Amino acid sequence: MGSRLRGNDTEDRALIIKILINETTKYNFRLYNPLTQRIYKDDMTTHSGYTNSKAISLVCSLGLFLAGYIFYSSSLIESFYTSEFALSSWQTGITQSTVPLGAILGAILAGRLADVFGRNRILIWNFLLIYIFGLLNSLSFDFYSLCLVRFINGFLAGTLYPLCATYLIEMTPPHSHARKTAFLMFVNCLAAPAGCVIAILLSLVCDEYILWRLCAMAHGIPALFAFYWVKRLPESQAWTMIHKKSAHTTMSGLKFIFSTQYKNITICLMAAWFLMDVAYYGINFFVPYLLQAMQVKTIVSNLNHHTLLSDATLWGTFIINIFFMLGALAAIFIVEKVNLLQLQKYGFLCASLSLFSLAIYFHVGLHQIVIIILLFVIFNFAINLGPDVTTYLLSATSYPVEVRGSGHGFISGFAKSGSFIGVLLLPKIQDYWGYETVILSLSVLLFAAYLFTLQFAKIILNESMNKEGHISYETT
């Protein structure tokens, strides 16, 4: 005799979660919804198959560190290669844009390749190529060679986002996914100050011609280490099981994630991450004002005579990125104690309100340094504490194994186009309408991301309730 499960019965709800864990259907992502998260954490805390989880977590963290370094070091070396190759302003802009453009293509392509050939196999080749083209990055001899190697480095950096996400999710205990993802994003944030420290140390012993080339190739050393490390690790067990059953998926990844079942989920995930990247990278155009307010130039002028340092770019970037790291560090300790959707929702809301307050503050003509810095820190803390972690994690857990790489790759690639658009268009808005309009626009975009998160939570809640209503079991 069939009996419908009741939501308030602990044993029945535990049965539901165990059923969901073993499925590779569209309900994978519900492990993180408000109805299932806590009971999932309490009941499923161990798994005998995750013997390499720590090593895999560290390899994936190193992968995101490399991706972050390739992105962040770009701003550090810009003035050097611009001077050496006598680049015009538009040539400098093209050179800078090659990294995010490459990342967009890399993320989308790598996700699909990981679904077809495996996560570990693609990671091995990826780390090897990062090492090789990291060295070639230091051998650029003109504008065209510089653009080519920087595009390839950006492409390889973009591939690491879906590769590390899928490998981590499938090879570590599910109850630790949130904390490990938070650690990944913290390590990603470490890349910026690490790049600054490397440049500062090299500036003590190298002239400018050698300095920027050594900075451009520095990530090759950890990439080589990651290459030898990941070769010792196994392929994703989940992918191997699916791949044995079918040599290819019945539907391409792109068609699958935009199918009737997944279309609304994909749109919400894409929009939230895209809007966050527009704002996250766009806010950097507020940094020069902030640096001037903090009088960083006074500090720098007493330290070194390198062109880069005299412009306050190096030390200013180092100081500002300390603020970026605060939220990422806090996320490691908080993310398992708070529902992920709530963390993303209120992270977007707080970030939006902080920028809105900052725009109003400028509009009324007030310029108290303490208030400006405080609102800026609240924005970065809110983004790094919540959305920066959750957008990355939810994009990996929202799809079944056979298309997980394709789903995460397409979403992360689309999000990187947001960073490109933010860097490209916001300077023009600033020139025509000023800082206030830029900051207000970013506030509106973050509020839109908050609304998309609300819709995503609604979809998850409705689908989860429908799933519970259709599960039955036989009673004696």
Side-chain angles (χ1 to χ4, degrees):
M1 178 178 178
S3 176
R4 180 172 295 183
L5 293 177
R6 291 174 293 181
N8 59 354
D9 190 314
T10 302
E11 293 182 358
D12 289 346
R13 292 184 67 201
L15 176 61
I16 293 172
I17 303 308
K18 291 178 182 179
I19 292 172
L20 293 179
I21 289 170
N22 293 322
E23 289 182 341
T24 55
T25 67
K26 67 175 184 174
Y27 296 100
N28 284 25
F29 66 95
R30 290 173 184 72
L31 300 178
Y32 290 96
N33 74 47
L35 296 179
T36 63
Q37 184 185 35
R38 183 166 300 281
I39 191 171
Y40 170 62
K41 286 175 54 182
D42 292 343
D43 293 351
M44 309 299 293
T45 55
T46 61
H47 192 296
S48 59
Y50 300 118
T51 55
N52 297 295
S53 63
K54 291 185 178 179
I56 289 169
S57 178
L58 290 175
V59 165
C60 293
S61 299
L62 185 55
L64 284 201
F65 176 85
L66 291 170
Y69 184 88
I70 292 173
F71 278 104
Y72 296 134
S73 63
S74 176
S75 62
L76 296 179
I77 65 176
E78 176 187 342
S79 63
F80 289 129
Y81 63 68
T82 298
S83 175
E84 180 176 335
F85 298 135
L87 302 182
S88 63
S89 58
W90 70 269
Q91 286 178 318
T92 300
I94 291 175
T95 305
Q96 286 291 82
S97 68
T98 54
V99 174
L101 283 175
I104 295 169
L105 181 61
I108 296 173
L109 182 60
R112 183 57 183 165
L113 291 177
D115 285 339
V116 176
F117 298 107
R119 289 63 159 118
N120 181 268
R121 185 182 303 175
I122 302 299
L123 269 174
I124 291 173
W125 281 102
N126 185 268
F127 286 131
L128 179 61
L129 291 174
I130 287 177
Y131 169 72
I132 294 172
F133 283 97
L135 297 180
L136 293 177
N137 201 21
S138 66
L139 301 178
S140 304
F141 53 88
D142 61 9
F143 167 69
Y144 299 102
S145 63
L146 182 66
C147 286
L148 177 61
V149 295
R150 287 181 62 75
F151 177 84
I152 296 175
N153 274 275
F155 176 91
L156 295 172
T159 63
L160 288 169
Y161 287 94
L163 290 175
C164 292
T166 53
Y167 198 44
L168 180 77
I169 292 300
E170 295 169 3
M171 293 296 286
T172 58
H175 72 273
S176 68
H177 287 168
R179 175 171 46 82
K180 290 184 181 296
T181 302
F183 181 75
L184 256 66
M185 304 316 294
F186 173 70
V187 173
N188 181 256
C189 289
L190 281 179
C196 295
V197 171
I198 291 172
I200 291 171
L201 295 177
L202 289 175
S203 69
L204 301 176
V205 295
C206 302
D207 59 30
E208 295 182 3
Y209 177 80
I210 300 297
L211 173 60
W212 80 266
R213 295 178 182 273
L214 291 178
C215 288
M217 65 174 289
H219 63 276
I221 298 174
L224 186 62
F225 177 74
F227 166 71
Y228 282 111
W229 196 354
V230 78
K231 283 179 65 178
R232 300 173 181 269
L233 297 175
E235 182 55 82
S236 163
Q237 297 174 10
W239 179 85
T240 301
M241 291 176 62
I242 293 296
H243 194 66
K244 286 180 179 179
K245 295 179 181 178
S246 176
H248 55 81
T249 58
T250 57
M251 186 185 302
S252 71
L254 190 60
K255 289 182 179 179
F256 193 98
I257 65 177
F258 281 102
S259 64
T260 303
Q261 294 177 334
Y262 283 96
K263 180 176 65 176
N264 292 333
I265 294 170
T266 301
I267 291 174
C268 289
L269 290 171
M270 287 172 52
W273 197 348
F274 171 84
L275 294 171
M276 183 191 73
D277 270 17
V278 174
Y280 192 67
Y281 288 89
I283 197 62
N284 287 328
F285 294 102
F286 173 67
V287 169
Y289 179 88
L290 183 63
L291 294 180
Q292 184 179 9
M294 295 173 66
Q295 299 180 345
V296 173
K297 290 186 178 181
T298 303
I299 300 175
V300 174
S301 61
N302 296 325
L303 293 175
N304 204 295
H305 296 292
H306 279 288
T307 303
L308 186 61
L309 296 178
S310 63
D311 289 337
T313 305
L314 181 59
W315 287 90
T317 301
F318 179 78
I319 293 172
I320 290 302
N321 278 282
I322 296 300
F323 294 148
F324 291 174
M325 293 167 53
L326 293 176
L329 180 61
I332 298 175
F333 304 99
I334 295 176
V335 70
E336 287 188 327
K337 300 177 181 179
V338 182
N339 179 273
L340 294 182
L341 293 179
Q342 298 293 328
L343 200 59
Q344 177 166 313
K345 180 173 65 174
Y346 291 113
F348 277 134
L349 184 60
C350 289
S352 176
L353 291 176
S354 65
L355 292 189
F356 180 78
S357 301
L358 191 60
I360 297 300
Y361 192 74
F362 280 126
H363 182 72
V364 298
L366 300 176
H367 295 86
Q368 289 292 325
I369 296 176
V370 175
I371 302 299
I372 295 172
I373 294 176
L374 177 62
L375 292 172
F376 187 77
V377 170
I378 291 174
F379 162 79
N380 285 288
F381 188 86
I383 288 292
N384 285 285
L385 177 62
D388 194 41
V389 175
T390 57
T391 53
Y392 186 80
L393 178 57
L394 291 172
S395 297
T397 57
S398 295
Y399 301 101
V401 173
E402 55 265 37
V403 294
R404 181 170 289 153
S406 300
H408 194 283
F410 182 81
I411 292 171
S412 59
F414 184 80
K416 291 306 169 189
S417 68
S419 64
F420 174 74
I421 291 173
V423 172
L424 185 67
L425 296 183
L426 290 179
K428 300 297 182 182
I429 299 176
Q430 176 185 320
D431 290 341
Y432 284 105
W433 292 291
Y435 279 113
E436 297 92 336
T437 303
V438 170
I439 297 172
L440 182 61
S441 299
L442 297 181
S443 173
V444 173
L445 293 181
L446 288 171
F447 187 76
Y450 164 76
L451 296 179
F452 275 108
T453 302
L454 289 180
Q455 182 63 26
F456 180 72
K458 182 179 178 181
I459 294 171
I460 289 179
L461 181 61
N462 291 337
E463 292 288 348
S464 182
M465 293 176 67
N466 291 338
K467 181 66 174 179
E468 287 192 25
H470 287 88
I471 295 178
S472 63
Y473 65 96
E474 294 295 323
T475 60
T476 57

